[in-house]
Amino acid sequence: MDMITFEKHDTGVAVVTLNRPDVLNSMNPQLLDEVRTAIRQTRDDADIGALVVTGAGRGFCAGADLTAGFTPPASATIGDGVAHSMEIGFNPMIRELAELPKPVVCAVNGMTAGGGVGLALAGDIVFAARSASFVQVFGPKLALVPDCGVTYFMPRLIGQARTRALAMSGDKLSAEQAADWGLIWACVDDDKLMDEALAYAEKLAAGPTEAFGDIKQVLDVTFDNDLNAQLDLEKETQRKRGNHPNFTEGVSAFMEKRAPNFSR
């Protein structure tokens, strides 16, 4: 049985739906492998300009499936087994999604917990249904630290103070509060979630895909660079972008007062 569905729309948008609704789309080895396959398909298909990630049923993702039985190396400790599952499954999926050189829109339907929060935040633009919530169960429930990139994404989005409190308390963060704090792009009514996410993805898919990939790259390193390094990176990226036909088309469209017709 497939753990996800993968749909390619004629609008240039692909949709990955986590499809284990009976366990709130918790992640097991097969699901991780299928998501990674879908990411690669999206990356390599020139007809796809944006990816939407969502979940089936009443939740986006409850994190890792603790009953999944990730096979640890021989003679490994329990901790070795946990680290091994991260090394071969969870971390590669998060890296590949975050590094996808195309826009990623996450549509969070219902509860998302643990590593599911990291999966959502690995997207570029996150919409959440009004009934959705985000909860960090690692520390208070499992005596673990947040993973799947949560300790990377969340402090950069909402700061250390809020991240520490959420990680240690396990308190639920509502979709409305998440939007107010800047953790996500927008909180929308439940019945409008997919319409809003798809419309946004379609707008991005009609744009200059390679330029969006470069936007992701320059923003990814902004907190690691000082001002001079970031200015130099902007300069070199603009050199690259300025030599692309899409820049010429954009200028022509601006001068002619028409919508640009970008290529991917």
Side-chain angles (χ1 to χ4, degrees), residues 34-77:
E34 290 182 13
V35 170
R36 293 178 66 190
T37 297
I39 293 169
R40 294 187 203 109
Q41 286 180 262
T42 300
R43 180 194 64 203
D44 296 338
D45 190 334
D47 292 331
I48 299 175
L51 176 67
V52 173
V53 180
T54 192
R58 59 191 178 89
F60 177 73
C61 179
D65 185 347
L66 299 181
T67 69
F70 290 87
T71 304
S75 303
T77 66

Side-chain angles (χ1 to χ4, degrees), residues 1-192:
M1 176 181 175
D2 291 340
M3 299 285 129
I4 72 166
T5 63
F6 182 76
E7 302 172 348
K8 179 179 170 182
H9 296 192
D10 58 12
T11 57
V13 173
V15 179
V16 167
T17 304
L18 309 183
N19 193 30
R20 303 186 73 207
D22 53 323
V23 288
L24 291 174
N25 301 312
S26 58
M27 297 180 282
N28 64 10
Q30 183 180 341
L31 183 143
L32 296 173
D33 286 344
E34 290 182 13
V35 170
R36 293 178 66 190
T37 297
I39 293 169
R40 294 187 203 109
Q41 286 180 262
T42 300
R43 180 194 64 203
D44 296 338
D45 190 334
D47 292 331
I48 299 175
L51 176 67
V52 173
V53 180
T54 192
R58 59 191 178 89
F60 177 73
C61 179
D65 185 347
L66 299 181
T67 69
F70 290 87
T71 304
S75 303
T77 66
I78 294 174
D80 289 337
V82 173
H84 180 69
S85 70
M86 294 171 65
E87 182 179 6
I88 66 168
F90 293 98
N91 289 357
M93 178 193 66
I94 296 297
R95 285 192 187 99
E96 289 172 22
L97 186 63
E99 294 172 1
L100 181 68
K102 298 178 181 182
V104 178
V105 176
C106 289
V108 176
N109 54 304
M111 185 271 291
T112 183
V117 177
L119 174 60
L121 299 183
D124 301 301
I125 297 156
V126 182
F127 288 86
R130 202 166 300 280
S131 65
S133 60
F134 301 82
V135 58
Q136 289 300 300
V137 298
F138 298 97
K141 298 293 186 182
L142 298 171
L144 294 172
V145 301
D147 59 21
C148 283
V150 170
T151 63
Y152 179 87
F153 299 121
M154 192 172 279
R156 285 165 167 76
L157 292 166
I158 62 173
Q160 283 276 8
R162 287 167 170 166
T163 299
R164 287 170 189 255
L166 290 172
M168 294 182 187
S169 69
D171 290 345
K172 284 186 179 180
L173 182 67
S174 70
E176 286 192 57
Q177 189 70 71
D180 288 343
W181 282 3
L183 184 70
I184 64 173
W185 172 244
C187 169
V188 301
D189 291 340
D190 287 31
D191 60 351
K192 296 180 180 176

Side-chain angles (χ1 to χ4, degrees), residues 209-220:
T209 304
E210 287 188 9
F212 292 154
D214 284 340
I215 288 172
K216 294 175 66 161
Q217 288 185 356
V218 296
L219 290 177
D220 281 346

